[in-house]
Amino acid sequence: MVSPPHALVIPYPAQGHVIPLLEVAHALADRGFAVTFVNTEFIHARVVASGAGLEDGGRVRFVAVPDGMPPGDDRADLVKLTILMEDHIAPRVEELVLASGEGGGAGGKITCMVVDYNVGAWALDIARRTGIRSAAVWPASAAVLSTLLSYDKLIDDNIIDAEDGSALGEETFQLSLDMPPMRSAHLAWNCVGENDQQAAFFQYIVAGVRAVEHCDFLICNSFQDAEPAAFSLFPNVLPIGPLLTGERSGKAVGHFWKPEDEESMSWLDAQPARSVVYVAFGSFTMFDRRQFEELALGLELSGLSFLWVVRPDILQGGAVHDYPEGFLDRVCGSGGRGKLVAWSPQQRVLAHPAVACFVSHCGWNSTMEGVRNGVPFIAWPYFADQFVNQVYISDVWKVGLKAVADKSGVITKEHIAARLEELMGDAGMRKRVEALKKAAHESIQIRGSSYGNFDTFAEGMRKA
């Protein structure tokens, strides 16, 4: 009996990466692969504690490895975490590959490796040294991937510095006339804050670009009709999305917080169709106290019903949530229009007929989830690629409105309420988002472009 192909899948250790990589793992299992999924011990513990769907009948085997950071260290320090991975995770991964199949081990011999692009060159180097096939998964937009693949052009055009990638000269650039304008300050390596390791981080990214040139496949969680210009610029990038991120068989998978399923869904069930504003800012966004209060008061001022996801750690400095005086009693008390939860089953929420619009940080997973469910956006980015995604939402696809800060840098309650009123009354936007939803669904159906690309990728990874 021939053993099935065995894929080792390695996400970058952050929720927005674990969730799409886990869906890729399940999609490979659907096609007959044995799959081993590698999380850091810290991430594995969070996913297990959330009850987020690791019990899958053995389709995917989960392995936890150390990340090199002691307990209590700030794992939001992405530069430090990224640089440590090569020293601490790479040796364990190579051991997994070399020891696989010995003594009839689970899944048999590892035959291929599927890695998050952001994990970097070390994982693809292991695949090359051990003689197995490899693929890199880019879990964000093809436009942002294009900026990484074009780093040498950005250097030649004096847009970024060759040593550390810092912005030079013009603030905005376009990789092609058909692609949205981007700001050099929003490039991934320029969003790590005041960090003396930026040069090392940038060179780590450059090494990753060079390594990806030699892997067998480069796949992306997007779809052809969403970003045709980016896929024309880099035709070797295969769009396989939008992935059904974060949910399998009605159960949330890969989340770091326990979704309040029954509370969210039963509350939505009691609301009229297209009446609820869904507010969620992902796993990294943080607010200062004033902006948090303006958001609360803006939702109240709108007069609309809302479901607001308020993470326990959403305020800067670890401050305790301090809502405006009387807000909870006025809006979220018995019979009130608002519902607050610490986390939600987002895929199910966005698919619910009561949801009318999505106030979002524009993370790519959230963007694709909104698109595939036909929900228009108030686009409120926080970090890095989210600003490019905002441009797609508001200027390219025209399926949402930008949240715009005043001169003091605050998005005011009046602006929030006005934007919601404008969005809710825009029939043309509703028509456009439904058309984009249709294109997204067609891409992932049998004979759709993304479905076919995933089959091409899976068949290629089967080869010895």
Side-chain angles (χ1 to χ4, degrees):
M1 180 177 177
V2 178
S3 298
H6 184 179
L8 183 68
V9 181
I10 310 173
Y12 186 84
Q15 179 168 272
H17 298 255
V18 171
I19 288 176
L21 268 289
L22 191 49
E23 174 55 27
V24 170
H26 278 289
L28 287 170
D30 290 342
R31 289 162 171 81
F33 281 69
V35 181
T36 296
F37 195 87
V38 178
N39 275 322
T40 65
E41 292 170 346
F42 177 81
I43 298 299
H44 183 79
R46 292 195 69 174
V47 174
V48 170
S50 75
L54 296 190
E55 306 83 6
D56 63 355
R59 287 164 45 90
V60 177
R61 171 192 176 217
F62 294 89
V63 174
V65 298
D67 62 11
M69 298 180 75
D73 260 25
D74 181 11
R75 284 168 173 82
D77 184 344
L78 300 182
V79 175
K80 181 178 180 181
L81 177 60
T82 299
I83 292 171
L84 281 173
M85 285 194 297
E86 184 166 4
D87 290 334
H88 294 272
I89 299 178
R92 179 69 177 117
V93 166
E94 188 154 6
E95 288 172 12
L96 282 171
V97 175
L98 294 174
S100 64
E102 292 181 359
K109 182 71 176 173
I110 290 171
T111 58
C112 60
M113 188 182 293
V114 180
V115 306
D116 191 313
Y117 184 106
N118 298 276
V119 165
W122 61 262
L124 296 173
D125 285 345
I126 291 171
R128 177 182 52 77
R129 287 198 302 271
T130 56
I132 60 176
R133 296 181 72 79
S134 64
V137 183
W138 179 254
S141 72
V144 173
L145 174 59
S146 298
T147 64
L148 274 67
L149 299 178
S150 302
Y151 78 90
D152 50 353
K153 182 180 188 304
L154 297 179
I155 291 170
D156 291 343
D157 292 346
N158 291 317
I159 294 169
I160 62 170
D161 181 81
E163 292 300 315
D164 65 3
S166 57
L168 302 173
E170 295 296 325
E171 290 189 352
T172 62
F173 65 92
Q174 284 181 279
L175 291 176
S176 79
L177 292 177
D178 296 320
M179 288 181 66
M182 298 182 231
R183 294 177 64 89
S184 49
H186 292 158
L187 292 166
W189 52 84
N190 287 328
C191 293
V192 295
E194 296 297 325
N195 199 304
D196 58 6
Q197 293 181 309
Q198 178 170 323
F201 187 50
F202 177 64
Q203 294 305 323
Y204 178 95
I205 289 172
V206 168
V209 174
R210 293 170 179 160
V212 163
E213 291 174 354
H214 303 291
C215 69
D216 295 291
F217 290 95
L218 176 53
I219 60 178
C220 176
N221 181 23
S222 186
F223 60 104
Q224 184 67 41
D225 287 350
E227 304 184 81
F231 292 118
S232 293
L233 195 62
F234 290 99
N236 62 311
V237 178
L238 291 183
I240 59 161
L243 296 169
L244 182 61
T245 44
E247 187 159 315
R248 273 259 163 179
S249 302
K251 186 171 186 179
V253 294
H255 288 280
F256 291 4
W257 288 271
K258 189 174 181 62
E260 298 176 29
D261 300 54
E262 296 311 316
E263 284 195 44
S264 298
M265 303 312 295
S266 61
W267 185 84
L268 285 172
D269 288 343
Q271 310 306 315
R274 289 185 180 173
S275 66
V276 174
V277 178
Y278 175 57
V279 186
F281 288 88
S283 58
F284 264 99
T285 302
M286 302 189 80
F287 290 111
D288 63 28
R289 190 173 299 282
R290 183 185 172 194
Q291 185 62 83
F292 183 78
E293 291 184 352
E294 288 291 314
L295 173 54
L297 293 171
L299 293 172
E300 180 179 6
L301 185 61
S302 75
L304 299 167
S305 298
F306 61 88
L307 173 63
W308 183 9
V309 178
V310 185
R311 288 192 336 266
D313 62 348
I314 202 168
L315 287 185
Q316 292 174 355
V320 176
H321 303 144
D322 190 5
Y323 296 95
E325 185 176 354
F327 173 80
L328 295 177
D329 292 334
R330 292 191 306 271
V331 183
C332 301
S334 178
R337 293 180 291 97
K339 178 68 176 175
L340 306 180
V341 295
W343 199 250
S344 75
Q346 184 160 287
Q347 191 70 243
R348 293 174 64 198
V349 167
L350 289 169
H352 198 285
V355 172
C357 68
F358 184 9
V359 180
S360 172
H361 68 307
C362 309
W364 190 248
N365 288 335
S366 291
T367 299
M368 287 290 96
E369 288 166 4
V371 163
R372 67 178 292 147
N373 287 292
V375 180
F377 298 81
I378 299 294
W380 187 331
Y382 172 71
F383 172 76
D385 69 303
Q386 297 161 12
F387 292 95
V388 175
N389 304 342
Q390 183 195 50
V391 173
Y392 267 126
I393 288 167
S394 62
D395 300 342
V396 178
W397 305 328
K398 295 180 169 52
V399 296
L401 300 174
K402 291 180 180 178
V404 182
D406 66 10
K407 292 180 179 179
S408 68
V410 173
I411 298 171
T412 66
K413 58 182 179 293
E414 293 85 4
H415 180 75
I416 293 164
R419 277 302 204 216
L420 286 170
E421 181 180 8
E422 182 181 355
L423 188 70
M424 297 287 275
D426 193 331
M429 189 168 296
R430 173 66 61 181
K431 185 176 180 180
R432 289 190 294 274
V433 78
E434 287 292 338
L436 193 59
K437 172 185 175 180
K438 183 174 183 289
H441 277 268
E442 287 176 350
S443 74
I444 56 177
Q445 302 303 312
I446 294 176
R447 292 185 294 277
S449 58
S450 289
Y451 189 98
N453 287 339
F454 200 102
D455 276 349
T456 297
F457 152 67
E459 286 306 308
M461 296 301 276
R462 288 181 187 278
K463 297 176 181 178

